Amino acid sequence: MTDPQIITIPCLTDNYAFLMHDPDNGATACIDVPDAAPIQAVLAERGWTLSDILITHHHWDHIDGVAALVDATGAKVWGCGADAHRLPPLDHALAEGDTFRIGTLRVEVMDVSGHCANHLAFHVPQAHAVFTADSLMALGCGRLFEGTPDQMWESLSKLAALPPETIVYSGHEYTATNARFALTIEPENSALISRSRAIEAARAAGDPTVPSTLADELATNPFLRAADPAIAAHLGLQNATPARVFAEIRARKDSF
Ligand code: ZN
Ligand code: FE
């Protein structure tokens, strides 16, 4: 088996789309479509034919380009069946625990709701990849528009249980702000301090900070670290549950 290829494509002002290509049979999937044009440009440059579109959630900045990309390529659209009423027309309706294939690559469907209801993540073990959009983000997590802190904590806990070498393809370039916030929660976390420096340097050079590794997120992302007793103590929540600590961190970020 030849290694799958994954390309990160900046779209709109701070969104990311991804192309995942299986060199063994030519299948190519696009994960989220903020805007069709930059994705079509990469397809043309690589000489790839789009076979599938995977939608993580209903927000416009993840689906606005789906219709144009389907028109141009005839790609089949996969998304959450329970959200079909507010998604572009689906060819395949998905739910938590489903598996399907893009070429020879097996995709595992995870419900990671919290940012909104029916938010999916796509785990591709052969690519060591998980596409998380606005659930787990680089040093952050999505705002809770339709879910509760308990629900998002459960979603993040599922993602945290993936192999630590998993590469996290999240939906936005928010990492520099997330790093400044994370340092208010864990000012003495040395892994966070060095990651923050690397993020500042990357952004100064105009480089993306997405994807990241799950191992780095586990070591530095405050939203994944809500079960750490030192963080609970720093927030004055010594005996609180991790979900309660997570809720406090999320609330502080909302007003950061
Ligand atoms: Zn969103
Ligand atoms: Fe978004």
Side-chain angles (χ1 to χ4, degrees):
M1 193 193 85
T2 321
D3 278 346
Q5 291 169 270
I6 298 176
I7 312 277
T8 301
I9 305 173
C11 293
L12 308 177
T13 49
D14 56 25
N15 274 79
Y16 288 117
F18 305 96
L19 285 175
M20 180 175 73
H21 177 73
D22 176 5
D24 284 341
N25 81 344
T28 304
C30 184
I31 297 86
D32 283 347
V33 191
D35 184 8
I39 295 161
Q40 288 174 281
V42 175
L43 289 166
E45 176 192 305
R46 300 258 162 180
W48 293 349
T49 301
L50 194 70
S51 52
D52 300 275
I53 293 170
L54 280 51
I55 296 173
T56 59
H57 69 295
H58 75 100
H59 288 152
W60 71 271
D61 62 312
H62 298 258
I63 61 173
D64 240 24
V66 170
L69 201 54
V70 168
D71 277 354
T73 64
K76 299 299 176 207
V77 181
W78 306 74
C80 183
D83 244 13
H85 61 284
R86 56 180 183 176
L87 293 175
L90 301 178
D91 297 290
H92 303 282
L94 300 170
E96 159 85 18
D98 285 352
T99 63
F100 61 99
R101 283 185 187 271
I102 298 298
T104 63
L105 305 172
R106 190 167 50 84
V107 181
E108 301 173 352
V109 178
M110 303 171 73
D111 185 311
V112 291
S113 294
H115 172 65
C116 61
N118 300 314
H119 189 310
L120 301 182
F122 301 105
H123 179 221
V124 187
Q126 288 150 277
H128 310 288
V130 65
F131 299 93
T132 59
D134 298 355
S135 58
L136 174 62
M137 304 171 98
L139 276 180
C141 76
R143 266 178 196 262
L144 305 182
F145 290 116
E146 295 179 347
T148 63
D150 281 10
Q151 189 181 25
M152 183 61 116
W153 175 248
E154 192 190 321
S155 294
L156 294 180
S157 300
K158 279 191 228 174
L159 293 165
L162 295 174
E165 65 273 19
T166 304
I167 301 167
V168 180
Y169 295 85
S170 52
H172 289 271
E173 185 58 61
Y174 294 161
T175 321
T177 312
N178 289 345
R180 286 192 288 278
F181 172 74
L183 285 165
T184 70
I185 303 295
E186 280 196 293
E188 278 155 31
N189 178 333
S190 59
L192 174 60
I193 292 165
S194 58
R195 188 176 177 196
S196 298
R197 289 202 190 104
I199 287 161
E200 271 178 43
R203 294 310 294 148
D207 294 335
T209 63
V210 172
S212 55
T213 67
L214 183 57
D216 280 348
E217 298 305 331
L218 290 167
T220 58
N221 185 326
F223 297 98
L224 278 188
R225 295 170 55 73
D228 186 311
I231 292 185
H234 178 77
L235 299 175
L237 292 169
Q238 281 81 351
N239 296 313
T241 62
R244 172 70 190 89
V245 175
F246 168 80
E248 174 66 20
I249 298 170
R250 188 58 260 178
R252 289 185 184 213
K253 178 65 165 58
D254 288 346
S255 57
F256 179 69

